[in-house]
Amino acid sequence: MVDDVISRRRFIQVGSGVAGASLAMTAGMAAAVVQAGSGVRVIGRPMPHGVDLPSAPPARRRQDSVGVAVVGLGSYALNQMMPRFAQAERAHIAAIVSGSPDKLRTVGDAYGVPPESRYSYEAFDRIASNKGIDAAYIVLPTGLHAEWAIRAFAAGKHVLCEKPMALSSADCERMIAAGRRANRKLMIAYRSQFEPYNLEAMRLMSQKAVGDIRLVRTEQSYRLAPTSPSENWRTNRALAGGGPLEDYGIYGLQSALYLTGEMPESISATTFRPTGDPRFAEIFAHVSSQWRFPSGAVAQLVASYDSAGINFAHVRGTQGVLIMDPATSYSGQKMRLEVGTSRDLTPGDPSAQFVRQINHFADAVRDNIPIRTPGEMGLRDLRLIEAIYASAKAGRTVKLASDGRMRS
Ligand code: NDP
């Protein structure tokens, strides 16, 4: 959890228009700005603090290794994902894409990316002619995912896209259609779907380890430091949507689905946005929802950017309870099963989730295996997010079809 919070605290900025962009371009920062089709802009950002670059370029392990272009050298890419490529059996960093010439140089040198495979956003479309690049890993602010995934498909590349997939189901549908047209793979980087604790929890719940599930509760919260939409993309509606639900609450949303193995048939929700707080000028501070599943089970989900840090999932059944706290961190997961007696479970190393995710993507590209977290899953989740906001706005329960579309 702590590392989740640190990565979110980095000063990162954005602007959904010219004013925001010029604000972001401070002295000494050669930022490239490109107008994206959605109206939001890509902007190069300075190197985040505390990044450990490799002392020697990682070696490529296999001949059939998938060459990946990392698009957006932000905190998550530099601190979490890029170092994990060194452990991946079948994928390597073949190119980098950034609006910061400084990062292109230092990160490119550290990872052994040849100068001709370092791209500005303006030059991005030229990846099409680079045969060493099989795929693009889109790790930009969320409001930019659709645009850049679609451009990657147009360049003939496969796409691994960070969560959440996009900010609307319409954008998810455009991404899926573009991938199909290009006959390329689309995977959403839902790392918890590759993490040993969450995989064990799924297995236990499918075997009814707590009996019939009656209640799932999830909460993903932390307190945003003072900031504003022009300083931090996570508070900018064009780049972050409603805020905490898309960014952090998506883990609880996913957990509620994979722990119950069901889709909700109705959702009622509420949102809160305080007045006069620049952090919440454009996004919500809290989003809370209650779901009812066809089995009769209920889920209660909370996501907040303004309450003390927590990241848990609880499942209460007719026979016992499963407690995951922290549930979906980068590392340090804890899980307890209470059925008669209480048992702490330690199914594996949570930090394996990153490399397993990369390996799965590479296997899908090379061996054409079905993707565990495809675009359709990202689309499903965006439909549920839209239902949550629709319910909160209308002040009533919304009913859902089995694919997550709203029925009323
Ligand atoms: P950062 O703000 O740290 O990095 C985003 C990077 O995107 C910037 O450094 C910049 O890279 C580039 N960028 C391009 N345009 C903009 C813009 N307008 N405003 C800000 N940055 C811009 O974000 P994160 O790394 O934390 O998040 C990136 C993505 O990764 C998001 O989709 C997020 O949801 C996801 N994420 C996933 C996590 C997980 O656990 N799976 C955890 C954290 C984030 P450059 O300077 O190179 O151009």
Side-chain angles (χ1 to χ4, degrees), residues 7-8 12-15 41-45 72-77 97-100 103 121 139-142 144-145 162-164 189 191 233-234 239 247 251 330:
S7 88
R8 286 169 167 79
I12 0 171
Q13 169 1 114
V14 177
R41 292 161 179 265
V42 279
I43 306 174
R45 299 295 311 147
L73 304 181
S75 185
Y76 187 65
V97 183
S98 172
S100 159
K103 278 194 271 182
Y121 295 117
V139 62
L140 294 164
T142 308
L144 294 159
H145 289 180
E162 260 311 323
K163 48 55 58 179
R191 59 177 168 74
W233 71 261
R234 284 191 161 81
L239 293 172
D247 186 37
Y251 291 101
Y330 296 160

Side-chain angles (χ1 to χ4, degrees), residues 65-128:
S65 178
V66 172
V68 176
V70 179
V71 185
L73 304 181
S75 185
Y76 187 65
L78 290 167
N79 288 315
Q80 301 302 328
M81 285 294 279
M82 290 180 71
R84 262 61 183 231
F85 275 85
Q87 302 150 18
E89 284 297 320
R90 213 182 187 185
H92 64 280
I93 296 171
I96 49 177
V97 183
S98 172
S100 159
D102 177 47
K103 278 194 271 182
L104 284 175
R105 188 177 58 253
T106 52
V107 176
D109 288 351
Y111 279 91
V113 175
E116 65 278 12
S117 297
R118 304 174 189 178
Y119 298 87
S120 65
Y121 295 117
E122 292 94 331
F124 176 81
D125 299 333
R126 285 194 227 137
I127 66 170

Side-chain angles (χ1 to χ4, degrees), residues 50-374:
V51 172
D52 274 336
L53 292 172
S55 47
R60 189 176 156 169
R61 293 198 178 193
R62 282 171 59 158
Q63 272 311 310
D64 67 350
S65 178
V66 172
V68 176
V70 179
V71 185
L73 304 181
S75 185
Y76 187 65
L78 290 167
N79 288 315
Q80 301 302 328
M81 285 294 279
M82 290 180 71
R84 262 61 183 231
F85 275 85
Q87 302 150 18
E89 284 297 320
R90 213 182 187 185
H92 64 280
I93 296 171
I96 49 177
V97 183
S98 172
S100 159
D102 177 47
K103 278 194 271 182
L104 284 175
R105 188 177 58 253
T106 52
V107 176
D109 288 351
Y111 279 91
V113 175
E116 65 278 12
S117 297
R118 304 174 189 178
Y119 298 87
S120 65
Y121 295 117
E122 292 94 331
F124 176 81
D125 299 333
R126 285 194 227 137
I127 66 170
S129 59
N130 187 332
K131 298 284 174 263
I133 302 174
D134 299 292
Y137 169 42
I138 310 294
V139 62
L140 294 164
T142 308
L144 294 159
H145 289 180
E147 182 73 25
W148 291 81
I150 290 168
R151 285 172 76 156
F153 286 134
K157 309 303 179 186
H158 303 277
V159 171
L160 173 63
C161 178
E162 260 311 323
K163 48 55 58 179
M165 180 170 172
L167 293 179
S168 70
S169 58
D171 273 353
C172 295
E173 282 165 358
R174 288 196 306 125
M175 293 162 79
I176 292 168
R180 286 198 185 131
R181 266 197 311 276
N183 193 24
R184 291 292 177 267
K185 304 285 181 193
L186 170 58
M187 172 165 155
I188 310 306
Y190 282 132
R191 59 177 168 74
S192 296
Q193 298 256 2
F194 302 90
E195 189 277 311
Y197 280 69
N198 280 274
L199 289 170
E200 176 64 1
M202 289 174 214
R203 193 188 69 77
L204 288 167
M205 294 306 97
S206 71
Q207 294 188 345
K208 293 189 179 284
V210 296
D212 293 327
I213 294 174
R214 295 290 189 245
L215 175 66
V216 175
R217 286 198 305 127
T218 70
E219 188 174 339
Q220 280 71 37
S221 299
Y222 72 94
R223 203 136 192 264
L224 264 182
T227 189
S228 68
S230 64
E231 287 176 350
N232 183 337
W233 71 261
R234 284 191 161 81
T235 66
N236 181 302
R237 181 162 283 270
L239 293 172
L245 171 62
E246 286 89 332
D247 186 37
Y248 202 13
I250 188 111
Y251 291 101
L253 180 151
Q254 276 255 312
S255 304
L257 297 171
Y258 59 62
L259 294 174
T260 59
E262 292 191 86
M263 279 290 282
E265 59 184 14
S266 66
I267 288 182
S268 60
T270 183
T271 55
F272 173 68
R273 179 143 58 107
T275 52
D277 186 332
R279 294 175 302 167
F280 305 115
E282 297 188 5
I283 61 159
F284 298 113
H286 315 298
V287 181
S288 136
S289 60
Q290 174 150 304
W291 304 6
R292 199 187 65 211
F293 294 98
S295 65
V298 165
Q300 294 172 336
L301 280 62
V302 176
S304 172
Y305 269 169
D306 200 26
S307 55
I310 188 84
N311 172 3
F312 74 70
H314 292 184
V315 187
R316 189 163 290 276
T318 48
Q319 312 291 324
V321 59
L322 181 77
I323 298 167
M324 306 174 74
D325 185 1
T328 59
S329 303
Y330 296 160
S331 60
Q333 266 77 329
K334 290 202 166 54
M335 186 156 78
R336 198 166 74 241
L337 184 64
E338 295 176 357
V339 184
T341 57
S342 173
R343 204 154 46 96
D344 288 329
L345 306 176
T346 52
D349 176 5
S351 65
Q353 61 190 311
F354 301 97
V355 68
R356 287 186 180 181
Q357 174 179 260
I358 295 169
N359 284 337
H360 179 75
F361 179 64
D363 289 345
V365 166
R366 288 289 181 244
D367 300 339
N368 202 25
I369 59 164
I371 292 184
R372 181 174 175 85
T373 55

Side-chain angles (χ1 to χ4, degrees), residues 378-397:
L379 167 63
R380 174 202 69 183
D381 295 352
L382 257 295
R383 285 184 180 146
L384 295 180
I385 288 171
E386 287 173 344
I388 288 169
Y389 289 134
S391 165
K393 191 167 177 205
R396 63 176 177 80
T397 301

